Amino acid sequence: MTGAGAARSEGASTPARAAAAAATFLAGLSSCRPAAPPPPGPMASTLLATAAELGAAPEALVQAWAEIDRIATRVELRKSSHDDAPGGEVAALTAVVFDDLGFVREIDDHDPRFFLLPSVLAERRGSCLGLGAVVLMVAERVGLPLDGVRVPGHFFVRTRGPAARNVELLRRGEVMPDAWYRQKYGPWPEGPGRYFVPLSPAETSAIFWFNAGNFARAQGDLARARRAYQRAVAEAPDFAEARAAGGPSSPGVAAPGSPSASPSP
């Protein structure tokens, strides 16, 4: 998927279009062979619909979900060997993604193909957001509770529970302390703004729209960029950067994997 193709449909983006995109994907899934993977959960459904709205073809989405299911099967098979290790299920997931399948990070090129699911899966290469989409969807598929988290200019995943662990995908799933993120990406304002807290599927989708807006802005398509920023706000009203970027005069600000934010390890 090229950058132009990945972001060509912002002008027609609405919640109704998202529902239609999801319906088209599920229709394609149901037409597959009898052994087709089960329907996606809430996070996967949202991210697949977002990819559809940003230009992914229905058949590419069906193939992407089938690949997520195949990765999940490998994780399930590997989980038993990690059961006694700290964070065993997460270790099994990251071992499959980074060791077995060879996914690598992309921190320099901000083309949408590095954050939209079908191309990330095909190329085995993604930004923090693209790798996050893969990990969140596989985790949901195997019943592993993970959440996406954002800080200024970066996206990562976190386990749930009282002993929550930050899983840094630009470091091949290394567990990093809160202080590392605060030193590297902070400071950020406390309170409203949805920093360093678990994100809902809609809030996660908003980051994809914001990054699409930043890419369009970098290409000089300011009208398309503004539409994408406005869609990000519709998905996540507390997304202050998207609200500012979509305003009448703001040039936009950094978001995870965006042209003006280049995360490093």
Side-chain angles (χ1 to χ4, degrees):
M1 183 186 305
T2 65
R8 66 173 179 263
S9 59
E10 286 91 338
S13 294
T14 64
R17 181 175 171 83
T24 299
F25 165 73
L26 290 173
L29 185 62
S30 66
S31 69
C32 291
R33 62 189 186 281
M43 178 63 75
S45 295
T46 298
L47 297 187
L48 288 164
T50 301
E53 291 189 79
L54 289 170
E59 60 271 18
L61 297 174
V62 172
Q63 293 168 4
W65 178 239
E67 179 64 10
I68 290 291
D69 187 65
R70 285 189 288 269
I71 297 173
T73 298
R74 296 183 67 147
V75 172
E76 292 280 11
L77 292 173
R78 188 152 183 165
K79 276 166 57 176
S80 59
S81 65
H82 290 266
D83 282 346
D84 296 331
E89 290 185 323
V90 175
L93 194 163
T94 56
V96 168
V97 169
F98 295 108
D99 297 338
D100 297 354
L101 298 177
F103 278 81
V104 296
R105 68 184 190 179
E106 175 54 61
I107 60 174
D108 297 317
D109 192 332
H110 304 287
D111 191 286
R113 75 178 188 273
F114 295 117
F115 65 79
L116 292 180
L117 185 72
S119 47
V120 171
L121 288 168
E123 299 182 27
R124 297 286 195 264
R125 190 178 195 92
S127 65
C128 55
L129 185 59
L131 295 174
V134 171
V135 168
L136 286 172
M137 291 173 68
V138 172
E140 183 178 63
R141 178 70 183 83
V142 301
L144 174 59
L146 291 181
D147 293 305
V149 179
R150 74 180 179 97
V151 292
H154 190 50
F155 182 87
F156 62 98
V157 301
R158 178 188 289 162
T159 63
R160 297 177 190 168
R165 299 182 303 280
N166 304 314
V167 182
E168 179 47 54
L169 302 177
L170 295 186
R171 297 173 68 101
R172 299 172 57 86
E174 184 176 352
V175 174
M176 303 300 291
D178 290 0
W180 184 83
Y181 291 94
R182 293 187 180 277
Q183 179 178 2
K184 188 171 185 62
Y185 299 103
W188 52 78
E190 302 296 339
R194 307 300 290 167
Y195 284 133
F196 222 58
V197 297
L199 299 175
S200 70
E203 290 169 330
T204 304
S205 173
I207 301 175
F208 285 82
W209 283 106
F210 190 39
N211 281 11
N214 282 347
F215 184 78
R217 185 191 70 217
Q219 298 298 304
D221 192 339
L222 300 184
R224 181 159 56 88
R226 182 171 297 179
R227 291 193 296 270
Y229 293 139
Q230 290 170 346
R231 180 57 188 277
V233 173
E235 296 291 348
D238 288 338
F239 200 161
E241 298 100 316
R243 189 176 295 279
S249 60
S250 172
V253 294
S258 69
S260 51
S262 298
S264 57

